[in-house]
């Protein structure tokens, strides 16, 4: 029997019936299939399905398990290549690069758990759909016979997000480079305050993109911030530029200080502004129309303190989780990153300290202590 990769031989009908019986009557396998969530299947040495759980059947739209028993994994999942050869899944020219088949064959040969990524193409109606499935194969022995226990985890969305993320950073990087060049030309030709504001915003956006690219990586704490001298006056001017036309500031008063400390701090200005801008934005969003948000700086020994105050108190049950990632009082996924990022960047990357106090009598006060060196 011809094959391009895995053995083509299949179990006979009698062998298959016996194997299905072994798996169905084994109490340990029965418990595994019915107590563990996720997609689980048991295959014989010929890579044919002899047991599976309900979670495996649901995405296939199959109600009767007998329709899947005896099939190989690619045949059960509807792989578009599973019937390219007479012997089916595992024997086509595509199968030598299929993570699922590689994991099964390697597990059978080495009798050690093997995990591989399977890129699966199937049809939904007449439309081809691609999936990314993490497959973990481990060997079971029942009555002297080898079986393959498969755990499948659909990671399609994670891989799609990763691909879109790479595309986003690549394309946005090109766009911001062009915007930065255009803003520099604008400043040279027109020394107006508006041109300077656009150039500063372009610089900030370009730096923000690089910061965000780093934060998306698993080793983001290894990011080495730049250390340049800046003052409270420079930071306040940038903040004023950010919020002077911001929607969150409409019909609200952002009160800025009359005097500022002269202390110069050595820090990553873009990161510090990101923390401060989040503090101001949160305060503005928590403030009702015609309300006030106060911002000021204070100088301490070897540190510059930045304060943001608004009148509304934070509920007690929210206060204890205010810096927890993904916790938010707002609906929808992707929330709860503002205060989390404030603490992450302000403390872990810049070496500062974020703190707050909140009560119905005093309102809410956030403080960011930025070390001078």
């Amino acid at each position: 029997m011809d094959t391009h990769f895995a053995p083509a031989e299949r179990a006979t009908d009698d062998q298959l019936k016996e194997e299905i019986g072994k798996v169905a009557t084994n109490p340990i396998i029965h418990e595994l299939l019915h107590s563990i969530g996720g997609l689980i299947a048991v295959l014989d040495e010929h890579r044919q399905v002899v047991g599976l759980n309900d979670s495996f059947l649901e995405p296939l739209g199959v109600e009767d398990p007998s329709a899947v028993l005896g099939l190989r994994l690619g045949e059960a999942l509807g792989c578009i290549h599973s019937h390219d050869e007479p012997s089916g899944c595992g024997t086509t020219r595509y199968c030598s690069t299929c993570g699922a088949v590689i994991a099964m064959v390697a597990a059978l040969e080495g009798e050690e758990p093997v995990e591989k990524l399977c890129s699966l193409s199937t049809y939904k109606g007449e439309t081809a759909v691609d999936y990314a499935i993490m497959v973990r194969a481990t060997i079971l022995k029942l009555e002297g016979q080898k079986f393959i226990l498969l755990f499948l985890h659909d990671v399609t969305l994670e891989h799609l997000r990763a691909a879109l993320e790479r595309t986003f950073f690549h394309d946005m990087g090109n766009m911001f480079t062009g915007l930065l060049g255009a803003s520099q030309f604008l400043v040279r030709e027109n020394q107006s305050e508006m041109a300077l504001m656009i150039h500063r915003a372009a610089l900030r956006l370009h730096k923000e993109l690089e910061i965000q690219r780093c934060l998306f990586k698993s080793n983001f704490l290894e990011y080495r911030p730049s250390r340049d001298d800046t003052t409270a006056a420079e930071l306040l001017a940038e903040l004023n530029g950010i919020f002077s036309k911001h929607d969150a500031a409409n019909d609200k008063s952002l009160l800025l200080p009359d005097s500022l400390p002269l202390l110069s701090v050595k820090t990553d200005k873009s990161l510090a502004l990101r923390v401060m801008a989040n503090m101001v934005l949160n305060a503005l969003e928590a403030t009702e129309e015609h309300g006030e948000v106060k911002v000021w700086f204070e100088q301490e020994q070897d540190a510059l303190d930045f304060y943001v105050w608004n009148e509304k108190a934070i509920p007690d049950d929210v206060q204890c989780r205010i810096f927890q990632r993904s916790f938010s009082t707002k609906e929808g996924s992707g929330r709860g990153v503002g205060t989390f990022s404030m603490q992450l960047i302000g403390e872990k990357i810049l070496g500062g300290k974020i703190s707050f106090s909140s009560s119905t009598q005093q309102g809410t006060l956030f403080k960011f202590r930025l070390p001078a060196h």
Side-chain angles (χ1 to χ4, degrees):
M1 301 176 72
D2 294 333
T3 178
H4 289 274
F5 184 57
E9 183 183 1
R10 291 178 183 259
T12 65
D13 290 344
D14 289 341
Q15 288 174 329
L16 193 61
K17 184 177 180 180
E18 181 183 349
E19 291 167 347
I20 292 171
K22 282 183 182 180
V23 169
T25 57
N26 186 280
I28 297 176
I29 301 300
H30 181 273
E31 190 66 25
L32 278 172
L33 294 177
H34 290 85
S35 64
I36 298 178
L39 309 182
I40 305 175
V42 181
L43 282 64
D44 66 7
E45 292 184 80
H46 304 295
R47 309 182 310 285
Q48 291 172 256
V49 178
V50 292
L52 68 169
N53 63 353
D54 292 339
S55 297
F56 193 101
L57 294 171
E58 288 171 7
L60 301 179
V62 176
E63 296 182 2
D64 183 8
S66 63
V68 178
L69 295 176
L71 299 179
R72 287 176 173 161
L73 184 64
E75 297 155 3
L77 298 178
C79 172
I80 62 175
H81 302 297
S82 61
H83 299 291
D84 286 1
E85 295 291 337
S87 298
C89 173
T91 66
T92 79
R93 61 191 181 92
Y94 294 93
C95 297
S96 62
T97 56
C98 171
V101 181
I102 293 171
M104 286 184 269
V105 171
L108 283 169
E109 291 178 350
E111 298 192 8
E112 294 288 337
V114 179
E115 187 173 77
K116 296 288 184 181
L117 180 67
C118 171
S119 298
L120 175 75
S121 298
T122 184
Y123 282 107
K124 280 193 173 181
E126 297 182 357
T127 304
V129 181
D130 293 330
Y131 292 94
I133 302 174
M134 191 62 69
V135 178
R136 182 176 177 83
T138 188
I139 299 302
L140 291 173
K141 289 187 178 180
L142 301 178
E143 301 177 20
Q145 183 177 354
K146 286 183 182 180
F147 289 89
I148 307 169
L149 181 62
L150 280 188
F151 297 88
L152 287 80
H153 177 51
D154 187 352
V155 293
T156 305
L157 288 179
E158 289 91 330
H159 278 247
L160 177 59
R161 289 191 185 104
L164 291 175
E165 175 192 314
R166 289 192 296 270
T167 301
F168 170 80
F169 284 120
H170 177 269
D171 293 347
M172 289 300 101
N174 290 338
M175 290 176 64
F176 284 138
T177 298
L179 177 63
L180 191 58
S183 69
Q184 289 171 335
F185 176 79
L186 186 63
V187 169
R188 286 196 300 268
E189 296 296 314
N190 181 5
Q191 290 289 329
S192 68
E193 181 60 33
M194 182 60 70
L196 290 170
M197 187 179 75
I198 292 172
H199 180 56
R200 286 196 296 267
L203 282 170
R204 191 165 57 246
L205 282 171
H206 190 266
K207 183 64 180 291
E208 282 286 332
L209 182 71
E210 292 306 309
I211 294 168
Q212 200 65 24
R213 191 201 306 271
C214 183
L215 292 179
F216 267 87
K217 297 178 181 178
S218 59
N219 61 340
F220 62 86
L221 289 179
E222 296 179 7
Y223 176 74
R224 295 291 176 261
S226 60
R227 299 286 180 181
D228 299 312
D229 289 324
T230 189
T231 63
E234 292 175 351
L235 293 168
L236 187 64
E238 291 276 6
L239 286 170
N240 190 36
I242 293 171
F243 290 102
S244 60
K245 305 294 184 182
H246 201 289
D247 289 344
N250 287 343
D251 299 318
K252 300 167 190 176
S253 298
L254 181 60
L255 304 181
L256 305 179
D258 294 327
S259 61
L260 293 168
L262 299 178
L263 177 69
S264 176
V265 295
K266 191 176 288 292
T267 190
D268 190 306
K269 187 176 177 181
S270 292
L271 287 179
L273 281 169
R274 185 167 183 172
V275 174
M276 294 174 181
N278 265 319
M279 292 169 65
V280 175
L281 180 61
N282 286 347
L284 287 169
E285 289 181 341
T287 300
E288 297 179 355
E289 287 188 11
H290 311 300
E292 294 180 344
V293 172
K294 297 179 181 178
V295 172
W296 71 93
F297 289 86
E298 292 183 6
Q299 181 175 331
E300 297 294 335
Q301 185 176 6
D302 295 327
L304 183 66
D305 291 345
F306 174 70
Y307 292 90
V308 179
W309 175 90
N310 69 283
E311 186 177 10
K312 188 174 181 180
I314 301 172
D316 290 342
D317 58 339
V318 175
Q319 288 190 37
C320 62
R321 302 179 67 187
I322 195 78
F323 294 117
Q324 184 176 353
R325 182 175 60 182
S326 300
F327 174 76
S328 177
T329 57
K330 301 171 185 176
E331 296 294 329
S333 60
R335 298 287 191 177
V337 296
T339 50
F340 167 76
S341 69
M342 282 162 44
Q343 191 176 60
L344 172 70
I345 296 172
E347 295 186 359
K348 297 186 182 297
I349 297 180
L350 293 181
K353 178 66 178 177
I354 305 288
S355 58
F356 77 97
S357 62
S358 185
S359 68
T360 53
Q361 295 81 20
Q362 301 295 326
T364 297
L365 179 68
F366 269 84
K367 172 184 173 183
F368 175 30
R369 170 158 291 183
L370 194 59
H373 302 288

